[in-house]
Amino acid sequence: MAVTTLRLNGAMISAREGQTILEAAREAGTRIPTLCHLDGVSPVGACRLCLVEVNGRLMPSCVTKAAEEMDVRTDTEQLREYRKMIVELLFAERNHVCSVCVADGHCELQNLAEELGVDHIRFDYLAPECGVDLSHDRYGQDDNRCILCTRCVRVCDEVEGAHTWDVAGRGARSRVITDLDRPWGESSTCTSCGKCVMACPTGALFHRGASVAENVHDRAMLRFLITAREEKRWTV
Amino acid sequence: MDRLRLATVWLGGCSGCHMSFLDTDEFLLEQADVAEVVYSPLVDAKEYPEGVDVVLVEGAVCNVEHLAMIQRVRERTRLVVAFGDCAVTGNVTALRNPLGGALPVLERAYLRASDPPGAIPEASDTVPELLDRVVPVHAIVPVDAFLPGCPPSGPTIRAALERMIAGEPVDLPGHRIHFGGYGQPPSPDGAEAMPSRAFRGGRPRGD
Ligand code: SF4
Ligand code: SF4
Ligand code: SF4
Ligand code: FES
């Protein structure tokens, strides 16, 4: 059943059966910032950037289904402050040095900081020791830039069907791993398709040989593949 | 009206932010009518003076000299601007932090990465002692405005200075204030519509 008594920032909108608040808001032309969300793979609610206020409570819009009688606010003072804080905490958690990063100028985290007005980080940097895996002959992986959004895990599992990636460890020690924590280059499941590199929002996964600001994630190709699978439309 | 007393300070940075300041071109001359540069690596002044209106601080705080300097600067200045990514985030200067304290960094640089191995400079030598951790300016003293960028662009610096000279808040809509490289405005969704390199199997650029 379609949802008909939904309010978005004061205006009545409708949503189709099963649609999330994020999808309904997008259709109504309202932008909600997201980071772990990737069209075409299942949502996980990992980053919390898409928080909205629903009848006074905060909910992640990418995993919350639209329902009757919801009064949704997407842009309150509190939400703006929390989104800023989330981005700042992501910067503080690993080692982000945009000026020398492969993703400089092509990074969703960097873009969000700009969009949300993050001009400095109010938290102490953790400066953890992080590994870089250059064992794969085409791609590299850098924990310094990883925000644990798990887009790589989901795209590799759900679109490529290889399930090379997983997350190991807990809390601040969590890291993405390939094949039970073997070097990526020795993975027997990886097909070298590159979808994880296309999906990664930051400089954590990159094409080998890409220098500063040279890595482009090529989301267009990923969108094409996902549309083709979902709608059986293989020509553009 | 008295001319604005402007200063610039160079802590742990590469001087690129100062180069970008010079890159404001003819504005430097226009600005001379309304602002006086009272202290800067670009002018001949030995002591940081009292009663400075605005200071642009380039660089992170990484040694005992920087620490003393930034405290003096804060005491003697009305508006402190963290100028460029090193001052704002630590940036490249703070790359050493994951190695641990000052000693492991010095060992890495002077003993392990040096061929033949050299000697770690003594505290009595002329170089200032390193702090264990490189920190951004606002980790030590309150900062009034942040101007990220590596370096911030000439036009952004100019716009910020114009606001400060006019006594307005440094709010710069339309200037794409972001961390990272000069002249590299982030693309709208972090992506570009291009055929996949992964599928062509080529190198990212220049092929
Ligand atoms: S991953 Fe993005 S935010 Fe992190 S250093 Fe690279 S460009 Fe900056
Ligand atoms: S290249 Fe393809 S198969 Fe290999 S890890 Fe990435 S998504 Fe999975
Ligand atoms: S490697 Fe990239 S896609 Fe994977 S979890 Fe980290 S940031 Fe996300
Ligand atoms: S986009 Fe909803 S939690 Fe990340």
Side-chain angles (χ1 to χ4, degrees):
Chain A
M1 273 268 290
V3 180
T4 54
T5 57
L6 174 68
R7 273 175 186 282
L8 187 73
N9 297 326
M12 297 296 293
I13 63 162
S14 57
R16 285 193 305 280
E17 167 96 57
Q19 260 190 328
T20 61
I21 297 175
L22 176 66
E23 287 161 344
R26 281 183 175 177
E27 269 185 29
T30 298
R31 173 171 158 74
I32 299 172
T34 57
L35 203 45
C36 66
H37 178 83
L38 183 67
D39 285 333
V41 297
S42 50
V44 287
C47 74
R48 262 34 193 179
L49 219 62
C50 68
L51 280 182
V52 293
E53 198 184 292
V54 181
N55 301 338
R57 284 181 59 201
L58 300 185
M59 315 255 226
S61 61
C62 68
V63 286
T64 308
K65 296 261 190 291
E68 300 294 350
E69 304 291 323
M70 276 185 166
D71 183 10
V72 180
R73 306 257 145 204
T74 64
D75 199 25
T76 66
E77 188 59 40
Q78 184 191 32
L79 287 172
R80 277 197 293 273
E81 176 56 23
Y82 282 3
R83 286 179 190 140
K84 262 180 106 159
M85 232 190 231
I86 291 167
V87 167
E88 288 177 57
L89 285 166
L90 288 173
F91 273 95
E93 189 174 32
R94 297 284 171 101
N95 303 305
H96 291 272
V97 190
C98 300
S99 58
V100 294
C101 178
V102 286
D104 184 22
H106 313 281
C107 172
E108 291 182 38
L109 181 61
Q110 186 187 33
N111 288 358
L112 274 171
E114 178 187 340
E115 177 186 336
L116 301 174
V118 174
D119 60 4
H120 69 291
I121 311 302
R122 290 168 291 176
F123 306 100
D124 285 347
Y125 292 94
L126 293 186
E129 237 185 306
C130 287
V132 177
D133 184 345
L134 290 175
S135 58
H136 195 286
D137 57 4
R138 282 158 77 164
Y139 315 117
Q141 183 257 331
D142 182 355
D143 282 328
N144 289 287
R145 313 285 196 252
C146 177
I147 57 171
L148 296 172
C149 67
T150 72
R151 282 190 191 183
C152 53
V153 178
R154 287 172 286 149
V155 83
C156 183
D157 178 37
E158 298 172 20
V159 182
E160 179 60 6
H163 200 129
T164 300
W165 293 102
D166 263 304
V167 180
R170 288 198 170 256
R173 291 176 189 276
S174 303
R175 298 285 187 268
V176 288
I177 53 163
T178 42
D179 274 13
L180 299 172
D181 211 6
R182 282 159 65 191
W184 192 359
E186 292 168 24
S187 160
S188 53
T189 57
C190 175
T191 63
S192 301
C193 71
K195 291 187 184 70
C196 52
V197 182
M198 295 178 207
C200 180
T202 69
L205 297 179
F206 53 90
H207 297 268
R208 287 195 60 168
S211 179
V212 174
E214 287 187 341
N215 196 73
V216 177
H217 287 294
D218 198 359
R219 227 79 79 207
M221 176 51 86
L222 195 60
R223 271 196 291 271
F224 166 75
L225 288 171
I226 288 167
T227 316
R229 285 165 52 89
E230 288 180 349
E231 299 172 17
K232 307 279 177 278
R233 206 153 36 85
W234 291 93
T235 46
V236 211
Chain B
M1 201 181 93
D2 285 345
R3 286 197 296 170
L4 185 94
R5 289 168 59 80
L6 178 67
T8 76
V9 166
W10 182 14
L11 306 180
C14 71
S15 92
C17 295
H18 273 85
M19 295 303 121
S20 207
F21 173 68
L22 293 178
D23 197 28
T24 55
D25 301 330
E26 77 283 357
F27 175 67
L28 286 174
L29 301 176
E30 293 164 23
Q31 170 197 277
D33 295 333
V34 286
E36 176 192 5
V37 180
V38 294
Y39 181 90
S40 167
L42 306 165
V43 302
D44 189 18
K46 301 278 176 274
E47 259 289 303
Y48 192 87
E50 304 272 353
V52 176
D53 290 309
V54 175
V55 63
L56 301 179
V57 181
E58 172 190 324
V61 179
C62 30
N63 62 38
V64 290
E65 254 177 31
H66 296 154
L67 195 59
M69 182 66 182
I70 195 62
Q71 274 150 351
R72 197 176 319 132
V73 164
R74 181 67 272 186
E75 279 162 22
R76 300 181 177 181
T77 319
R78 198 159 51 82
L79 292 177
V80 173
V81 182
F83 178 40
D85 275 355
C86 292
V88 174
T89 73
N91 198 29
V92 172
T93 316
L95 275 173
R96 72 166 161 93
N97 285 347
L99 291 179
L103 190 61
V105 171
L106 291 167
E107 283 171 353
R108 174 79 155 258
Y110 288 93
L111 306 182
R112 277 188 284 146
S114 156
D115 184 19
I120 294 179
E122 298 285 326
S124 58
D125 290 345
T126 48
V127 288
E129 204 183 320
L130 294 186
L131 300 178
D132 273 327
R133 223 180 138 83
V134 176
V135 289
V137 172
H138 69 271
I140 306 290
V141 296
V143 164
D144 301 291
F146 296 87
L147 222 51
C150 184
S153 74
T156 300
I157 298 169
R158 174 181 177 153
L161 283 174
E162 281 172 341
R163 297 289 147 87
M164 284 184 277
I165 289 169
E168 292 166 9
V170 188
D171 176 18
L172 303 170
H175 270 270
R176 315 227 44 192
I177 301 299
H178 64 88
F179 304 124
Y182 185 96
Q184 295 270 4
S187 52
D189 64 349
E192 241 121 293
M194 287 167 93
S196 172
R197 293 193 185 94
F199 280 77
R200 287 184 307 161
R203 281 173 56 88
R205 194 182 271 183
D207 56 352

